[in-house]
Amino acid sequence: MSELRLRAPATSANLGPGFDSFALALPLLAEFEVRPARAWAVTVEGDGDGIPTGDENLFVVSARAVARAEKAHLPPQHVVQRSAIPGGRGLGSSAAAIAAGAVAANVLLGEPCDRRTLLRIAAEVEGHADNVAAALYGGVTVAIPTADGPIATRFAFPRAWRVCIFVPHRKLATKDARAALPAQVSRADAVFNLAHASALLAAILRADGALVSLAMADRLHEPARAKLVPGLDDVIAGARSAGAFGAALSGAGPAVLAFAPTRLAPRVVAAMEEAADAAGSSGRARVLRVRAAGVQIRSAP
Ligand code: HSE
C-alpha cells in the first residue's frame, strides 16, 4: 500500500485588527508522510525542537479527533513530519499539523467529513479558528463563529502586493502571548477594531494600499503583547517608513508581517531587519506571496 503524503502551509493570523478571525496562508510548507503502523508514532525530521513524537503530537491529536467525531476506527499510523515553518513565531506551525492531521484522517476514513466539519474539529484542537481556517482553505480567510462551529470565508490577496515577514531568532509560546491578553475590552476599543477590521477587508478586496495604512491597527491584542515582543513598534515603523502599506504582529508573535507593493518589498524586509537589530531583537525577514492553496494531498494510498 502506498503512503499518504500531504503538505500544509504556514499561516499568519490576525493581520492587525482581525484578532482570532483573519488569517492568510504562506508558501512555507510542512510535509507529512503517513503509513499504517502498529502504534501511533511521529518521526520529526529537521528542526523538530520540542515537537512531541507520541500521542500529544498535534497531527495525531487532530487525526484522532476526526475519527472520534465520526465514531470511526482509525488504525494507528506512523507519521514522518518535516517542516519549513519556523516554530514558536506566530506562523501557524501548530495549525499546519492540526489541519494536515484532520485532512489525513478524513482521507483514511473514506472522506466522511466536509471541509467545514474539518474546520470545526481543527479549531477545537487549536483553541481558535483563524490559523486552521487559512491552513485548510488557503488565501485570505475570515473565520466566522457560529453556534455550530466556525465557518470560513476565503478570498484572494492582491496580485501586486507581497507579504514581508520578519522572523525573530527568539521564540514566544502562543499560550504565554494569550495569557498576556486582558479578559475584558472597552466598548471604545471594540468599536475601534470593528471599524479597522472592516476597513482592512475592504482594502484587501479593493487592493487599496492607502486604506491598509489606515486600517492595519489594533487595540485588542497588540498593545498587551508589545511588552513580550521587544522591538515590535520599531519593526512596524521601519516597515512603514520603507514603503509598506501597514504592518502588524503575526498571530501571537513574535514574527511581524507587513503588506507592501512588490517593487518596495526588498526595501521593506531590509528595513525590518535593520530596525529589529537596532532594537536588540535580531532575526531574518523575507518576501513571500500569499499561498492560494490550503492543505494539499500529494499522494493517497
Ligand atoms: N489569533 C491567535 C492569537 C493566533 O492571536 O492568539 C495565534 O497564532
Side-chain angles (χ1 to χ4, degrees):
M1 195 195 223
S2 70
E3 65 192 5
L4 170 62
R5 292 166 59 223
L6 311 95
R7 59 186 182 192
T11 48
S12 178
N14 302 330
L15 313 182
F19 178 68
D20 275 4
S21 310
F22 297 176
L24 51 75
L26 294 166
L28 304 171
L29 301 177
E31 300 191 323
F32 303 86
E33 293 164 7
V34 186
R35 59 178 60 173
R38 290 222 179 119
W40 282 96
V42 180
T43 301
V44 181
E45 293 185 350
D47 177 17
D49 195 19
I51 298 177
T53 55
D55 284 355
E56 314 82 62
N57 180 281
L58 288 171
F59 182 103
V60 177
V61 171
S62 179
R64 296 174 90 178
V66 169
R68 208 166 36 251
E70 290 304 309
K71 300 185 174 45
H73 173 65
L74 180 62
Q77 307 288 323
H78 180 242
V79 183
V80 177
Q81 168 173 344
R82 72 184 76 80
S83 180
I85 307 172
R89 306 303 203 293
L91 289 169
S93 57
S94 302
I98 292 167
V103 171
N106 196 39
V107 171
L108 294 170
L109 293 173
E111 313 224 15
C113 301
D114 58 16
R115 207 159 41 162
R116 180 176 160 189
T117 305
L118 294 179
L119 173 62
R120 178 175 54 73
I121 297 166
E124 280 166 11
V125 174
E126 171 93 315
H128 44 89
D130 46 1
N131 291 92
V132 285
L136 284 167
Y137 288 73
V140 183
T141 50
V142 181
I144 307 153
T146 80
D148 298 325
I151 295 179
T153 184
R154 175 197 182 283
F155 49 95
F157 190 74
R159 291 170 67 90
W161 295 3
R162 293 292 179 268
V163 177
C164 303
I165 291 277
F166 171 72
V167 184
H169 295 316
R170 209 183 115 260
K171 296 185 181 187
L172 173 61
T174 299
K175 73 171 173 21
D176 297 338
R178 288 184 84 83
L181 301 178
Q184 310 276 337
V185 299
S186 70
R187 184 187 306 182
D189 288 350
V191 170
F192 180 95
N193 268 61
L194 185 61
H196 282 74
S198 309
L200 183 63
L201 284 190
I204 295 171
L205 288 166
R206 299 205 304 238
D208 182 343
L211 188 54
V212 169
S213 60
L214 186 66
M216 214 174 201
D218 164 79
R219 287 194 189 162
L220 296 188
H221 68 107
E222 280 189 15
R225 287 170 165 170
K227 58 183 178 295
L228 302 176
V229 184
L232 173 63
D233 293 342
D234 307 87
V235 176
I236 290 176
R240 280 180 171 266
S241 66
F245 301 129
L249 193 62
S250 175
V256 179
L257 117 162
F259 293 167
T262 303
R263 88 191 150 79
L264 295 179
R267 261 177 50 187
V268 170
V269 290
M272 292 170 98
E273 286 183 357
E274 202 175 306
D277 269 346
S281 159
S282 60
R284 282 287 157 267
R286 56 200 294 183
V287 179
L288 298 170
R289 292 168 186 263
V290 169
R291 183 175 165 83
V295 174
Q296 286 178 317
I297 299 157
R298 311 223 42 226
S299 71

